[in-house]
Amino acid sequence: QVRLVESGGGLVEPGGSLRLSCVASGSSFSITQMGWHRQAPGKQREMVAFMRGNSDANYADPVKGRFTISRDVAKNTVYLEMNSLKPEDTAVYYCNSYAFPERGPLQLYWGQGTQVTVSS
């Protein structure tokens, strides 16, 4: 099946920046949408940003103006540029993708997540 692997998480000071990456791989698949969710301790998982194609971007209100999603369709990769980070951005960030596997209908796939910690 489709595999999603995130990278780029880590520890950053408030006001700093991080760039997350997610690469999709598999024997044969076609992606229709890629994006990011996050889950902080004691909170429900929430949508952060997603993109259809390589230009139709959507953002959750708390990150608008600070985060930017981009996608390299040819490389099956999605990025999340996070600027002006706040302690409340601390969470595990999960990559997700809607894709057609080699055989079968459209499915939603999730990565394992990458930890982002905003702290002094």
Side-chain angles (χ1 to χ4, degrees):
Q1 58 181 352
V2 176
R3 179 183 297 177
L4 303 176
V5 180
E6 304 99 331
S7 63
L11 175 64
V12 64
E13 295 184 354
S17 299
L18 283 175
R19 184 172 183 260
L20 306 182
S21 300
C22 174
V23 180
S25 62
S27 59
S28 181
F29 59 91
S30 179
I31 294 174
T32 63
Q33 176 179 309
M34 297 188 77
W36 297 89
H37 282 62
R38 68 184 182 186
Q39 187 167 17
K43 296 184 178 180
Q44 296 182 359
R45 187 173 298 188
E46 63 179 359
M47 186 274 290
V48 176
F50 65 90
M51 175 172 286
R52 299 184 177 93
N54 61 2
S55 62
D56 185 9
N58 297 270
Y59 300 92
D61 287 341
V63 308
K64 287 182 178 178
R66 299 189 297 119
F67 291 11
T68 302
I69 188 171
S70 61
R71 182 182 173 193
D72 188 328
V73 176
K75 295 182 178 180
N76 292 318
T77 301
V78 65
Y79 306 93
L80 186 67
E81 180 71 33
M82 304 183 293
N83 300 307
S84 301
L85 283 163
K86 306 174 181 179
E88 49 264 44
D89 293 318
T90 296
V92 177
Y93 284 71
Y94 297 91
C95 177
N96 69 276
S97 176
Y98 280 96
F100 290 98
E102 183 176 5
R103 295 181 183 275
L106 185 67
Q107 298 183 37
L108 175 62
Y109 298 90
W110 292 92
Q112 293 295 310
T114 184
Q115 177 71 47
V116 173
T117 302
V118 184
S119 176
S120 298

